[in-house]
Coordinates of all heavy atoms in Angstrom, one line a residue:
M23 N 0.8 -1.2 0.0 CA 0.0 0.0 0.0 C 0.9 1.2 0.0 O 1.8 1.4 0.9 CB -0.9 0.0 1.3 CG -1.9 1.1 1.3 SD -3.2 0.6 2.5 CE -3.2 2.0 3.5
P24 N 0.7 2.1 -0.9 CA 1.6 3.3 -1.0 C 1.3 4.3 0.1 O 0.2 4.3 0.7 CB 1.3 3.9 -2.4 CG 0.0 3.3 -2.8 CD -0.2 2.1 -2.1
H25 N 2.3 5.0 0.5 CA 2.2 6.0 1.6 C 2.0 7.4 1.0 O 2.3 7.7 -0.2 CB 3.5 6.0 2.4 CG 3.7 4.7 3.1 ND1 3.1 4.3 4.2 CD2 4.6 3.7 2.8 CE1 3.5 3.1 4.5 NE2 4.4 2.7 3.7
I26 N 1.4 8.3 1.8 CA 1.2 9.7 1.4 C 2.4 10.5 1.7 O 2.9 10.4 2.8 CB -0.1 10.2 2.0 CG1 -1.3 9.5 1.5 CG2 -0.2 11.7 1.7 CD1 -2.6 9.8 2.2
A27 N 2.9 11.3 0.8 CA 4.0 12.2 1.1 C 3.8 13.6 0.5 O 2.8 13.8 -0.2 CB 5.3 11.6 0.4
D28 N 4.7 14.5 0.7 CA 4.6 15.8 0.1 C 5.2 15.9 -1.3 O 5.7 14.9 -1.8 CB 5.1 16.9 1.0 CG 6.6 16.7 1.3 OD1 7.3 16.0 0.6 OD2 7.1 17.3 2.3
K29 N 5.2 17.0 -1.9 CA 5.7 17.2 -3.3 C 7.2 16.9 -3.5 O 7.6 16.7 -4.6 CB 5.4 18.6 -3.8 CG 3.9 18.8 -4.0 CD 3.6 20.2 -4.4 CE 2.1 20.5 -4.4 NZ 1.9 21.9 -4.8
G30 N 7.9 16.8 -2.4 CA 9.3 16.5 -2.5 C 9.6 15.1 -2.8 O 10.7 14.7 -3.2
Y31 N 8.6 14.2 -2.8 CA 8.8 12.8 -3.0 C 8.1 12.3 -4.3 O 7.9 11.1 -4.5 CB 8.3 12.0 -1.8 CG 9.1 12.3 -0.6 CD1 8.6 13.2 0.3 CD2 10.2 11.6 -0.3 CE1 9.3 13.5 1.5 CE2 10.9 11.8 0.8 CZ 10.5 12.8 1.7 OH 11.2 13.1 2.9
V32 N 7.9 13.2 -5.2 CA 7.2 12.8 -6.5 C 8.1 11.9 -7.3 O 9.4 12.0 -7.3 CB 7.0 14.1 -7.4 CG1 6.5 13.7 -8.8 CG2 5.9 15.0 -6.7
G33 N 7.6 10.8 -7.8 CA 8.3 9.9 -8.6 C 8.9 8.7 -7.8 O 9.7 7.9 -8.3
M34 N 8.6 8.6 -6.5 CA 9.2 7.6 -5.7 C 8.1 6.5 -5.3 O 8.3 5.7 -4.4 CB 9.7 8.2 -4.4 CG 10.9 9.1 -4.7 SD 11.6 9.7 -3.2 CE 12.5 8.3 -2.6
G35 N 7.0 6.5 -6.0 CA 6.0 5.5 -5.8 C 5.1 5.8 -4.6 O 4.3 4.9 -4.2
L36 N 5.1 7.0 -4.2 CA 4.2 7.4 -3.1 C 3.0 8.3 -3.6 O 3.1 8.8 -4.7 CB 5.0 8.3 -2.1 CG 6.3 7.7 -1.5 CD1 7.1 8.7 -0.8 CD2 5.9 6.5 -0.7
I37 N 2.0 8.4 -2.8 CA 0.9 9.3 -3.2 C 1.3 10.7 -2.9 O 1.5 11.0 -1.7 CB -0.4 8.9 -2.5 CG1 -0.8 7.4 -2.9 CG2 -1.5 9.8 -2.8 CD1 -2.0 6.9 -2.1
T38 N 1.4 11.5 -3.8 CA 1.8 12.9 -3.6 C 0.8 13.9 -4.3 O 0.1 13.5 -5.3 CB 3.2 13.2 -4.2 OG1 3.2 12.9 -5.6 CG2 4.3 12.3 -3.5
P39 N 0.8 15.1 -3.8 CA -0.1 16.1 -4.5 C 0.4 16.4 -5.9 O 1.6 16.1 -6.3 CB 0.1 17.4 -3.7 CG 0.7 16.9 -2.4 CD 1.4 15.7 -2.7
V40 N -0.5 16.8 -6.8 CA -0.1 17.2 -8.1 C 0.6 18.5 -8.2 O 0.1 19.5 -7.6 CB -1.4 17.2 -9.0 CG1 -1.1 17.6 -10.4 CG2 -2.2 15.9 -8.9
K41 N 1.7 18.6 -8.8 CA 2.5 19.8 -8.9 C 1.9 20.7 -10.0 O 1.4 20.2 -11.1 CB 3.9 19.5 -9.3 CG 4.8 19.1 -8.1 CD 6.2 19.1 -8.5 CE 7.1 18.8 -7.3 NZ 8.5 18.8 -7.7
K42 N 1.9 22.0 -9.8 CA 1.4 22.9 -10.8 C 2.6 23.2 -11.7 O 3.7 23.5 -11.3 CB 1.0 24.2 -10.1 CG 0.5 25.3 -11.0 CD 0.2 26.6 -10.2 CE 0.0 27.7 -11.1 NZ 1.1 28.1 -11.9
L43 N 2.3 23.1 -13.0 CA 3.3 23.4 -14.0 C 3.4 24.9 -14.2 O 2.4 25.6 -14.1 CB 2.9 22.7 -15.3 CG 2.9 21.1 -15.3 CD1 2.3 20.6 -16.6 CD2 4.2 20.6 -15.0
P44 N 4.6 25.4 -14.5 CA 4.8 26.8 -14.6 C 3.9 27.3 -15.8 O 3.8 26.8 -16.9 CB 6.2 26.9 -15.0 CG 6.9 25.7 -14.5 CD 5.9 24.6 -14.6
G45 N 3.2 28.4 -15.5 CA 2.3 29.0 -16.5 C 1.0 28.4 -16.7 O 0.2 28.9 -17.5
L46 N 0.7 27.2 -16.1 CA -0.6 26.6 -16.3 C -1.3 26.4 -15.0 O -0.7 26.1 -14.0 CB -0.3 25.2 -16.9 CG 0.3 25.1 -18.3 CD1 0.6 23.7 -18.7 CD2 -0.6 25.7 -19.3
P47 N -2.6 26.6 -15.0 CA -3.4 26.5 -13.7 C -3.7 25.0 -13.5 O -3.6 24.2 -14.4 CB -4.7 27.2 -14.0 CG -4.8 27.2 -15.5 CD -3.4 27.2 -16.1
L48 N -3.9 24.6 -12.2 CA -4.3 23.3 -11.9 C -5.8 23.1 -12.2 O -6.6 24.0 -12.1 CB -4.1 23.0 -10.4 CG -2.7 22.7 -9.9 CD1 -2.8 22.5 -8.4 CD2 -2.2 21.4 -10.5
S49 N -6.1 21.9 -12.7 CA -7.5 21.6 -13.0 C -8.3 21.5 -11.6 O -7.7 21.3 -10.6 CB -7.7 20.3 -13.8 OG -7.3 19.2 -13.0
E50 N -9.6 21.6 -11.7 CA -10.4 21.5 -10.5 C -10.2 20.1 -9.9 O -10.2 20.0 -8.6 CB -11.9 21.8 -10.8 CG -12.7 22.1 -9.6 CD -12.2 23.3 -8.9 OE1 -11.8 24.3 -9.5 OE2 -12.3 23.3 -7.6
A51 N -10.1 19.1 -10.7 CA -9.9 17.7 -10.2 C -8.6 17.6 -9.4 O -8.5 17.0 -8.4 CB -10.0 16.7 -11.3
D52 N -7.5 18.2 -10.0 CA -6.2 18.2 -9.3 C -6.3 19.0 -8.0 O -5.7 18.6 -7.0 CB -5.2 18.8 -10.2 CG -4.8 17.9 -11.4 OD1 -5.1 16.7 -11.3 OD2 -4.2 18.4 -12.3
K53 N -7.0 20.1 -8.0 CA -7.1 20.9 -6.7 C -7.9 20.0 -5.7 O -7.5 20.0 -4.5 CB -7.9 22.2 -7.0 CG -7.1 23.2 -7.7 CD -8.0 24.4 -7.9 CE -7.3 25.5 -8.8 NZ -8.1 26.7 -9.0
N54 N -8.9 19.3 -6.1 CA -9.7 18.5 -5.1 C -8.8 17.3 -4.6 O -8.8 17.0 -3.4 CB -10.9 17.9 -5.8 CG -12.0 19.0 -6.0 OD1 -12.0 20.0 -5.3 ND2 -12.8 18.8 -7.0
F55 N -8.0 16.7 -5.5 CA -7.1 15.7 -5.1 C -6.1 16.2 -4.1 O -5.8 15.6 -3.1 CB -6.4 15.1 -6.4 CG -5.4 14.0 -6.1 CD1 -5.9 12.7 -5.8 CD2 -4.1 14.2 -6.1 CE1 -5.0 11.7 -5.5 CE2 -3.2 13.2 -5.8 CZ -3.6 12.0 -5.5
N56 N -5.5 17.4 -4.4 CA -4.5 18.0 -3.5 C -5.1 18.3 -2.1 O -4.5 18.1 -1.1 CB -3.9 19.2 -4.1 CG -2.9 18.9 -5.2 OD1 -2.6 17.8 -5.4 ND2 -2.5 19.9 -5.8
R57 N -6.4 18.8 -2.1 CA -7.1 19.1 -0.8 C -7.3 17.8 0.0 O -7.1 17.8 1.2 CB -8.4 19.7 -1.1 CG -8.3 21.2 -1.3 CD -9.7 21.9 -1.3 NE -9.7 23.0 -2.2 CZ -10.2 23.0 -3.4 NH1 -11.0 22.0 -3.9 NH2 -10.1 24.1 -4.2
A58 N -7.7 16.7 -0.7 CA -7.9 15.4 0.0 C -6.6 14.9 0.7 O -6.6 14.5 1.8 CB -8.4 14.4 -1.0
I59 N -5.5 15.0 -0.1 CA -4.2 14.6 0.5 C -3.8 15.5 1.6 O -3.3 15.1 2.7 CB -3.1 14.6 -0.6 CG1 -3.4 13.4 -1.6 CG2 -1.7 14.4 0.0 CD1 -2.5 13.4 -2.7
D60 N -4.0 16.8 1.5 CA -3.6 17.8 2.5 C -4.4 17.5 3.8 O -3.9 17.7 4.9 CB -3.8 19.2 2.0 CG -2.8 19.6 1.0 OD1 -1.8 19.0 0.9 OD2 -3.1 20.6 0.3
R61 N -5.7 17.2 3.7 CA -6.5 16.9 4.9 C -5.9 15.7 5.6 O -5.9 15.7 6.9 CB -7.9 16.6 4.5 CG -8.7 17.9 4.1 CD -10.2 17.6 3.9 NE -10.8 18.8 3.4 CZ -11.5 18.8 2.2 NH1 -11.6 17.7 1.5 NH2 -12.0 19.9 1.8
I62 N -5.6 14.7 4.9 CA -5.0 13.5 5.5 C -3.7 13.8 6.2 O -3.4 13.4 7.4 CB -4.9 12.3 4.5 CG1 -6.2 11.9 4.0 CG2 -4.1 11.2 5.1 CD1 -6.2 11.0 2.8
R63 N -2.8 14.5 5.5 CA -1.5 14.8 6.0 C -1.6 15.7 7.2 O -0.9 15.6 8.2 CB -0.6 15.5 4.9 CG -0.2 14.5 3.9 CD 0.8 15.0 2.9 NE 2.0 15.4 3.6 CZ 2.5 16.6 3.6 NH1 2.0 17.6 2.9 NH2 3.7 16.9 4.2
W64 N -2.6 16.7 7.2 CA -2.8 17.6 8.3 C -3.2 16.8 9.5 O -2.6 17.1 10.6 CB -3.8 18.6 7.9 CG -4.1 19.6 9.1 CD1 -3.4 20.7 9.4 CD2 -5.1 19.4 10.0 NE1 -4.0 21.3 10.5 CE2 -5.0 20.5 10.9 CE3 -6.2 18.5 10.2 CZ2 -5.9 20.7 12.0 CZ3 -7.0 18.7 11.3 CH2 -6.9 19.8 12.2
R65 N -4.1 15.9 9.4 CA -4.5 15.1 10.5 C -3.4 14.3 11.2 O -3.2 14.3 12.4 CB -5.7 14.2 10.1 CG -6.2 13.3 11.2 CD -6.9 14.0 12.3 NE -8.1 14.6 11.8 CZ -8.8 15.5 12.5 NH1 -8.4 15.8 13.7 NH2 -9.8 16.0 12.0
I66 N -2.6 13.7 10.3 CA -1.4 12.9 10.8 C -0.4 13.8 11.5 O 0.1 13.4 12.6 CB -0.8 12.1 9.6 CG1 -1.8 11.1 9.1 CG2 0.5 11.5 10.1 CD1 -1.4 10.5 7.8
E67 N -0.2 14.9 11.0 CA 0.8 15.9 11.6 C 0.3 16.4 12.9 O 1.0 16.6 13.9 CB 1.1 17.0 10.6 CG 2.0 16.6 9.5 CD 2.2 17.7 8.4 OE1 1.9 18.9 8.7 OE2 2.7 17.4 7.4
Q68 N -1.1 16.6 13.1 CA -1.6 17.0 14.3 C -1.5 15.9 15.4 O -1.2 16.2 16.5 CB -3.1 17.3 14.1 CG -3.4 18.6 13.3 CD -2.8 19.8 14.1 OE1 -3.1 20.0 15.2 NE2 -2.0 20.6 13.4
V69 N -1.7 14.6 15.0 CA -1.6 13.5 15.9 C -0.1 13.4 16.4 O 0.2 13.3 17.6 CB -2.0 12.2 15.3 CG1 -1.6 11.0 16.1 CG2 -3.5 12.2 15.1
I70 N 0.8 13.5 15.5 CA 2.3 13.5 15.8 C 2.6 14.6 16.8 O 3.3 14.4 17.8 CB 3.1 13.5 14.6 CG1 3.0 12.2 13.8 CG2 4.6 13.7 14.9 CD1 3.6 12.2 12.4
A71 N 2.2 15.8 16.5 CA 2.4 16.9 17.4 C 1.8 16.7 18.7 O 2.5 17.0 19.8 CB 1.9 18.2 16.7
H72 N 0.6 16.2 18.8 CA 0.0 15.9 20.0 C 0.8 14.9 20.8 O 1.0 15.0 22.0 CB -1.4 15.4 19.8 CG -2.3 15.3 21.0 ND1 -2.7 16.3 21.7 CD2 -2.7 14.2 21.7 CE1 -3.4 15.9 22.7 NE2 -3.4 14.6 22.7
L73 N 1.2 13.8 20.2 CA 2.0 12.8 20.9 C 3.3 13.3 21.4 O 3.8 13.0 22.5 CB 2.3 11.6 19.9 CG 1.2 10.7 19.6 CD1 1.6 9.7 18.5 CD2 0.7 9.9 20.9
K74 N 3.9 14.3 20.7 CA 5.2 14.8 21.1 C 5.1 15.7 22.4 O 6.1 15.9 23.1 CB 5.8 15.7 20.0 CG 6.4 14.8 18.9 CD 7.0 15.8 17.8 CE 7.7 14.9 16.7 NZ 8.3 15.8 15.7
T75 N 3.9 16.1 22.7 CA 3.7 17.0 23.9 C 3.5 16.1 25.2 O 3.6 16.7 26.3 CB 2.5 17.9 23.8 OG1 1.3 17.1 23.7 CG2 2.6 18.8 22.6
W76 N 3.3 14.8 25.0 CA 3.1 14.0 26.2 C 4.4 13.7 26.9 O 5.4 13.3 26.3 CB 2.5 12.7 25.8 CG 1.1 12.8 25.3 CD1 0.4 14.0 25.2 CD2 0.2 11.8 24.9 NE1 -0.9 13.7 24.7 CE2 -1.0 12.4 24.6 CE3 0.3 10.4 24.8 CZ2 -2.1 11.6 24.1 CZ3 -0.8 9.7 24.4 CH2 -2.0 10.3 24.1
K77 N 4.4 13.9 28.2 CA 5.6 13.6 29.0 C 6.1 12.2 28.9 O 7.3 11.9 29.0 CB 5.3 14.0 30.5 CG 6.5 13.9 31.4 CD 6.2 14.3 32.8 CE 7.4 14.2 33.7 NZ 7.1 14.5 35.0
T78 N 5.2 11.2 28.8 CA 5.5 9.8 28.7 C 6.5 9.6 27.5 O 7.4 8.8 27.6 CB 4.3 9.0 28.5 OG1 3.4 9.2 29.5 CG2 4.6 7.5 28.4
L79 N 6.3 10.2 26.4 CA 7.2 10.0 25.2 C 8.5 10.7 25.4 O 9.5 10.3 24.8 CB 6.5 10.5 24.0 CG 5.2 9.8 23.6 CD1 4.6 10.5 22.4 CD2 5.4 8.4 23.3
K80 N 8.6 11.7 26.3 CA 9.9 12.4 26.5 C 10.7 11.7 27.6 O 11.9 11.7 27.5 CB 9.6 13.8 27.0 CG 9.0 14.7 26.0 CD 8.7 16.1 26.5 CE 7.9 16.9 25.5 NZ 7.5 18.2 26.1
T81 N 10.1 11.0 28.5 CA 10.8 10.4 29.6 C 11.0 8.9 29.5 O 11.8 8.3 30.2 CB 10.0 10.6 30.9 OG1 8.8 10.0 30.8 CG2 9.9 12.1 31.3
G82 N 10.4 8.3 28.5 CA 10.6 6.9 28.3 C 9.4 6.1 28.9 O 8.7 6.6 29.8
Y83 N 9.3 4.9 28.5 CA 8.2 4.0 28.9 C 8.7 3.3 30.2 O 9.7 2.6 30.2 CB 7.9 3.0 27.8 CG 6.8 2.1 28.1 CD1 5.5 2.6 28.1 CD2 6.9 0.7 28.4 CE1 4.4 1.8 28.3 CE2 5.8 -0.1 28.6 CZ 4.6 0.5 28.6 OH 3.5 -0.3 28.8
R84 N 7.9 3.4 31.3 CA 8.3 2.8 32.6 C 7.5 1.6 33.0 O 7.7 1.1 34.1 CB 8.1 3.9 33.7 CG 9.0 5.1 33.4 CD 8.9 6.1 34.5 NE 9.3 7.4 34.0 CZ 8.9 8.5 34.5 NH1 8.1 8.5 35.6 NH2 9.3 9.6 34.0
R85 N 6.6 1.1 32.2 CA 5.8 0.0 32.5 C 6.5 -1.3 32.0 O 7.5 -1.2 31.3 CB 4.4 0.1 31.9 CG 3.7 1.4 32.3 CD 2.5 1.4 33.1 NE 1.7 0.2 32.9 CZ 1.3 -0.6 33.9 NH1 1.5 -0.3 35.1 NH2 0.5 -1.6 33.6
P86 N 5.9 -2.5 32.4 CA 6.5 -3.7 31.8 C 6.5 -3.7 30.3 O 5.5 -3.3 29.7 CB 5.6 -4.8 32.4 CG 5.0 -4.2 33.6 CD 4.9 -2.7 33.3
I87 N 7.5 -4.2 29.7 CA 7.6 -4.1 28.2 C 6.5 -4.9 27.5 O 6.1 -4.6 26.4 CB 9.0 -4.6 27.7 CG1 9.3 -4.1 26.3 CG2 9.2 -6.0 27.9 CD1 9.4 -2.6 26.1
D88 N 6.0 -6.0 28.1 CA 5.0 -6.8 27.5 C 3.6 -6.0 27.5 O 2.7 -6.4 26.8 CB 4.8 -8.1 28.1 CG 4.5 -8.1 29.6 OD1 4.8 -7.0 30.3 OD2 3.9 -9.0 30.1
A89 N 3.5 -4.9 28.2 CA 2.3 -4.1 28.2 C 2.3 -3.0 27.2 O 1.3 -2.3 27.0 CB 2.0 -3.5 29.6
L90 N 3.5 -2.8 26.5 CA 3.6 -1.7 25.6 C 2.7 -1.8 24.4 O 2.1 -0.8 24.1 CB 5.1 -1.6 25.1 CG 5.4 -0.5 24.1 CD1 5.2 0.8 24.7 CD2 6.9 -0.6 23.6
P91 N 2.5 -2.9 23.7 CA 1.5 -2.9 22.6 C 0.1 -2.5 23.0 O -0.6 -1.8 22.3 CB 1.5 -4.4 22.1 CG 2.9 -4.9 22.6 CD 3.2 -4.2 23.9
D92 N -0.3 -3.0 24.2 CA -1.7 -2.6 24.7 C -1.7 -1.1 25.0 O -2.7 -0.4 24.7 CB -2.0 -3.3 26.0 CG -2.3 -4.8 25.7 OD1 -2.6 -5.1 24.5 OD2 -2.1 -5.6 26.6
A93 N -0.7 -0.5 25.5 CA -0.6 0.9 25.8 C -0.7 1.7 24.5 O -1.5 2.7 24.4 CB 0.6 1.3 26.6
I94 N 0.0 1.3 23.5 CA 0.0 2.0 22.2 C -1.4 1.9 21.6 O -1.9 2.9 21.1 CB 1.1 1.5 21.3 CG1 2.5 1.8 21.8 CG2 0.9 2.0 19.8 CD1 3.6 1.2 21.1
T95 N -1.9 0.7 21.6 CA -3.3 0.6 21.0 C -4.3 1.4 21.7 O -5.1 2.1 21.1 CB -3.7 -0.9 21.1 OG1 -2.7 -1.7 20.4 CG2 -5.1 -1.1 20.4
T96 N -4.2 1.5 23.0 CA -5.2 2.3 23.8 C -5.0 3.8 23.5 O -6.0 4.5 23.2 CB -4.9 2.1 25.3 OG1 -5.1 0.7 25.6 CG2 -5.9 2.9 26.1
I97 N -3.8 4.3 23.4 CA -3.5 5.7 23.1 C -4.0 6.0 21.7 O -4.7 7.1 21.5 CB -2.0 6.0 23.2 CG1 -1.6 5.9 24.7 CG2 -1.7 7.4 22.6 CD1 -0.1 5.9 24.9
L98 N -3.7 5.2 20.7 CA -4.2 5.5 19.4 C -5.7 5.5 19.3 O -6.3 6.3 18.6 CB -3.6 4.5 18.4 CG -2.1 4.7 18.2 CD1 -1.6 3.5 17.3 CD2 -1.8 6.0 17.6
G99 N -6.3 4.5 20.0 CA -7.8 4.5 20.1 C -8.4 5.8 20.6 O -9.4 6.3 20.1
I100 N -7.8 6.3 21.7 CA -8.3 7.5 22.3 C -8.1 8.7 21.3 O -9.0 9.5 21.1 CB -7.5 7.8 23.6 CG1 -7.9 6.8 24.7 CG2 -7.8 9.2 24.1 CD1 -7.1 6.8 25.9
I101 N -6.9 8.8 20.7 CA -6.7 9.9 19.8 C -7.7 9.9 18.6 O -8.3 10.9 18.3 CB -5.2 9.8 19.3 CG1 -4.3 10.2 20.4 CG2 -5.0 10.8 18.1 CD1 -2.8 9.9 20.1
F102 N -7.8 8.7 18.0 CA -8.7 8.7 16.8 C -10.2 8.8 17.2 O -10.9 9.3 16.4 CB -8.4 7.4 16.0 CG -7.1 7.4 15.3 CD1 -6.1 6.6 15.6 CD2 -6.9 8.4 14.3 CE1 -4.9 6.7 14.9 CE2 -5.8 8.4 13.6 CZ -4.7 7.6 13.9
T103 N -10.5 8.4 18.4 CA -11.9 8.6 18.8 C -12.3 10.0 19.0 O -13.4 10.5 18.6 CB -12.2 7.8 20.1 OG1 -11.9 6.4 20.0 CG2 -13.6 8.0 20.6
Y104 N -11.4 10.8 19.5 CA -11.7 12.2 19.8 C -11.2 13.2 18.8 O -11.4 14.4 18.9 CB -11.1 12.6 21.2 CG -11.8 11.8 22.3 CD1 -11.3 10.7 22.9 CD2 -13.1 12.2 22.6 CE1 -12.0 10.1 23.9 CE2 -13.8 11.6 23.6 CZ -13.3 10.5 24.3 OH -14.0 9.8 25.2
T105 N -10.5 12.8 17.7 CA -10.0 13.7 16.7 C -10.5 13.5 15.4 O -10.4 14.4 14.5 CB -8.4 13.7 16.6 OG1 -8.0 12.4 16.3 CG2 -7.8 14.1 17.9
L106 N -11.1 12.4 15.1 CA -11.7 12.2 13.7 C -13.1 12.5 13.6 O -13.9 12.7 14.5 CB -11.5 10.7 13.3 CG -10.0 10.3 13.1 CD1 -9.9 8.9 12.7 CD2 -9.3 11.2 12.0

């Protein structure tokens, strides 16, 4: 499954916004495609920024290591429940 990236990764097999050619306007379909990608990327960047503010991520994980997958799943569930 291809990943979404910004315009710096065009031609690498990723889903990227359509670049505007010099002197030519973007079609309405291209603008809508770019908006859809931007919405997804914006949401992901907001989640990453939110995670970076948590003290737990700055200080390290202090619980038993076998509980880590459950903790990550719970955190992601909370984030996506309240942000989507």
Side-chain angles (χ1 to χ4, degrees):
M23 186 161 126
H25 299 283
I26 295 175
D28 61 18
K29 292 179 187 176
Y31 296 94
V32 172
M34 297 184 72
L36 305 171
I37 298 173
T38 58
V40 178
K41 281 188 173 183
K42 180 184 169 296
L43 297 173
L46 297 175
L48 280 176
S49 69
E50 198 60 37
D52 288 342
K53 288 180 184 179
N54 290 335
F55 180 75
N56 287 352
R57 275 190 215 109
I59 290 176
D60 289 344
R61 284 186 188 124
I62 294 168
R63 290 186 63 238
W64 178 83
R65 177 66 65 193
I66 293 167
E67 289 175 12
Q68 291 295 309
V69 169
I70 291 169
H72 187 71
L73 285 172
K74 286 181 177 180
T75 64
W76 290 4
K77 184 178 179 185
T78 305
L79 296 177
K80 295 176 185 175
T81 60
Y83 186 71
R84 297 183 203 158
R85 306 247 324 133
I87 196 68
D88 59 336
L90 181 61
D92 291 334
I94 292 172
T95 303
T96 302
I97 291 167
L98 291 174
I100 292 168
I101 290 170
F102 286 114
T103 299
Y104 292 103
T105 60
L106 294 179

